[in-house]
């Protein structure tokens, strides 16, 4: 409860707070991305050591996602997420003091476990607690906050490295999460801090106060929870496979070969982010009005079409246009799976389902660059692009079929 006014913050502020908590947790690793390669010189190692340093974080996330979600069945969300987040702040701040590569890798695994757990817990709470009439806008908000956090994090890390020693980047990376926790301490997101499967009433608004049972969300009847989870996991795997194998792998390779420079590539990616941020509120409102398929199908098809431009593009402007179209389309389509999860998954199962889908996504993030770039090296750009396009279309086909069968 707000201690100054005696009243709770608005539900909009509470939603924004939880979205910012997720974004700030993401910034703990996004901000240090520019710093990690510098440890190769510091430790006097070869570039090969950078692979384990980067992979260690992803390994920790894979370990944490599902257990972190399952524990939400028994642990109260607020102290659970607070404990994980505070540990993440401490571990992130101390990582810069690692004396050797082995210590740094161990710290990155720990940060991966805590960071993966924080994001899984935060998303599960948001999925379970989003108001039914505003699910699309809530998921659009968290998507926008994550995109902004990713962009700000990388910029902030580079800025800090320009003027300060390497260790300072890790301290700075932990500050946004600490500030959001202070925000929640003063103006708690009480409507989201209730045990999963329960909801607040005006008489139980205090996060420590009583709760009442709420009905399970509608939408899963007749579809089978297993089919929904499989479809969501496949979509998550394909999305991250395409993001890391395509957007962060093949796209820069093809763009540089087509005449883009690092600066113009950065401008194209920034333009894609800005357009996506502008479109997300409109898309969220459309989803809340029932236009699930009308958002998902064009978004996926536009993503595939944008990827198919790269092998035939004959100039930097066409490459830049394809990058902008791809980023915008994937951002738009990516909101629908989380809305379906919020509607169709029983609240007590949301932690487990979020953990499963995030684990599938993390596996896709590892497999995407390995597979796509291996195909590119052996067979060229066309086959590598077609692998990603085929996976995107097939994975989202099952999701689209579920949406067609699901009652509004």
């Amino acid at each position: 409860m707000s201690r100054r006014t005696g009243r709770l913050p608005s539900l909009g502020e509470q939603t924004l707070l939880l979205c910012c908590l997720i974004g700030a947790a993401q910034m703990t690793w996004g901000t240090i991305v520019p710093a990690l390669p510098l440890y190769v010189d510091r430790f006097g190692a070869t570039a090969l050591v950078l692979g384990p340093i980067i992979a260690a974080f992803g390994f920790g996330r894979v370990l944490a996602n599902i257990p972190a979600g399952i524990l939400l069945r028994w642990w109260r969300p607020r102290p659970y997420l607070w404990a994980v987040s505070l540990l993440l702040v401490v571990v992130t701040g101390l990582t810069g003091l690692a004396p050797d590569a082995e210590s740094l890798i161990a710290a990155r695994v720990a940060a991966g476990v805590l960071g993966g757990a924080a994001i899984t817990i935060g998303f599960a709470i948001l999925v379970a607690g989003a108001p039914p009439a505003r699910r699309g806008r809530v998921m659009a908000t968290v998507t926008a906050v994550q995109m902004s956090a990713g962009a700000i994090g990388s910029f902030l890390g580079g800025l800090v490295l320009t003027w300060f020693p390497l260790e300072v980047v890790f301290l700075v990376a932990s500050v946004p999460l600490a500030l959001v926790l202070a925000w929640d301490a003063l103006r708690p997101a009480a409507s989201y801090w209730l045990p999963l499967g329960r909801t607040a009433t005006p008489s139980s608004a205090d996060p420590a106060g009583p709760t009442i049972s709420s009905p399970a969300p509608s939408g899963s009847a007749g579809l089978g929870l297993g089919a929904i989870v499989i479809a969501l996991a496949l979509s998550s795997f394909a999305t991250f496979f395409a993001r890391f194998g395509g957007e962060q792998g093949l796209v820069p390779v093809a763009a540089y070969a087509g005449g883009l420079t690092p600066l113009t590539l950065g401008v194209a990616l920034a333009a894609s982010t800005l357009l996506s941020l502008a479109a997300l509120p409109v898309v969220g409102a459309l989803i809340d009005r029932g236009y699930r398929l009308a958002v998902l199908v064009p978004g996926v098809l536009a993503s595939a079409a944008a990827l198919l431009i790269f092998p035939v593009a004959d100039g930097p402007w066409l490459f830049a246009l394809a990058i902008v179209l791809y980023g915008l389309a994937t951002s738009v389509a990516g909101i629908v799976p989380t809305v379906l999860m919020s509607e169709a998954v029983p609240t007590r199962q949301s932690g487990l389902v979020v953990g499963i889908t995030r684990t599938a996504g993390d596996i896709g993030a590892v497999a995407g660059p390995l597979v796509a770039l291996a195909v590119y090296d052996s067979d060229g750009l066309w086959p590598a692009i077609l692998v990603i396009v085929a996976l995107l279309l097939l994975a989202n086909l099952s999701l689209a079929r579920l949406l067609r069968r699901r009652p509004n």
Side-chain angles (χ1 to χ4, degrees):
M1 183 176 294
S2 178
R3 293 175 182 173
R4 292 186 179 182
T5 65
R7 297 192 307 173
L8 284 172
S10 69
L11 187 57
E13 181 184 340
Q14 294 181 47
T15 299
L16 182 61
L17 191 160
L18 194 57
C19 292
C20 287
L21 197 152
I22 293 170
Q26 181 171 312
M27 285 183 68
T28 60
W29 64 81
T31 303
I32 67 171
V33 167
L36 293 179
L38 301 179
Y39 277 94
V40 175
D41 292 334
R42 166 168 288 196
F43 296 146
T46 67
L48 286 176
V49 78
L50 185 60
I53 289 173
I54 295 174
F57 184 83
F59 177 71
R61 280 172 47 152
V62 170
L63 290 179
N65 288 332
I66 294 177
I70 292 175
L71 289 173
L72 268 172
R73 294 182 181 179
W74 300 286
W75 292 0
R76 292 183 64 86
R78 192 187 194 201
Y80 181 22
L81 185 52
W82 263 74
V84 169
S85 299
L86 286 172
L87 285 172
L88 180 58
V89 168
V90 172
V91 168
T92 300
L94 294 178
T95 297
L97 303 177
D100 50 47
E102 291 77 12
S103 301
L104 180 59
I105 291 170
R108 296 304 295 149
V109 172
V113 169
L114 295 168
I119 298 292
T120 295
I121 297 164
F123 257 111
I125 293 169
L126 196 65
V127 164
R134 295 182 57 86
R135 285 184 178 122
R137 279 162 285 185
V138 169
M139 299 311 162
T141 300
V142 72
T143 301
V145 169
Q146 280 194 292
M147 291 174 62
S148 302
I152 293 170
S154 297
F155 173 76
L156 181 61
L159 196 64
V160 172
L161 282 172
T162 302
W163 290 301
F164 297 98
L166 191 55
E167 295 83 359
V168 177
V169 177
F170 292 85
L171 293 174
V172 171
S174 64
V175 169
L177 183 55
L179 291 176
V180 177
L181 291 175
W183 179 6
D184 182 65
L186 296 173
R187 299 176 63 81
S191 298
Y192 289 98
W193 291 136
L194 302 170
L196 297 192
R198 298 174 181 267
T199 187
T201 65
S203 62
S204 60
D206 190 347
T211 60
I212 63 170
S213 296
S214 68
S218 62
S220 58
L223 294 183
L225 183 59
I228 293 171
V229 174
I230 291 172
L232 290 170
L234 287 174
S235 177
S236 180
F237 175 85
T239 298
F240 280 82
F241 187 102
R243 181 177 300 166
F244 285 84
E247 184 178 339
Q248 298 185 20
L250 291 177
V251 167
V253 170
Y256 290 151
L260 286 183
T261 65
L263 176 60
T264 52
L265 176 62
V267 170
L269 291 172
S272 171
T273 301
L274 291 174
L275 285 176
S276 298
L277 291 174
L280 288 177
V282 177
V283 173
L286 287 173
I287 291 174
D288 285 336
R289 295 175 63 183
Y291 295 103
R292 273 76 167 155
L293 275 173
V295 170
L296 177 69
V297 173
V300 172
L301 292 178
S303 300
L307 286 172
L308 293 174
I309 293 175
F310 287 100
V312 299
D314 59 359
W317 284 106
L318 193 54
F319 276 104
L321 177 63
I323 289 170
V324 172
L325 175 61
Y326 177 74
L328 176 61
T330 52
S331 298
V332 168
I335 301 174
V336 177
T338 53
V339 173
L340 174 61
M341 187 189 305
S342 180
E343 291 176 336
V345 176
T347 50
R348 280 187 57 82
Q349 299 292 334
S350 63
L352 173 61
V353 174
V354 170
I356 291 172
T357 56
R358 287 190 56 79
T359 298
D362 287 337
I363 294 172
V366 173
L370 296 177
V371 173
L373 292 174
V375 174
Y376 173 76
D377 282 339
S378 62
D379 300 310
L381 184 58
W382 260 117
I385 289 290
L386 290 175
V387 168
I388 297 176
V389 168
L391 183 59
L392 275 176
L393 294 178
L394 289 174
N396 285 285
L397 176 63
S398 61
L399 196 63
R401 291 179 64 185
L402 281 179
L403 287 170
R404 286 191 63 187
R405 293 169 52 195
R406 185 180 171 277
N408 291 325

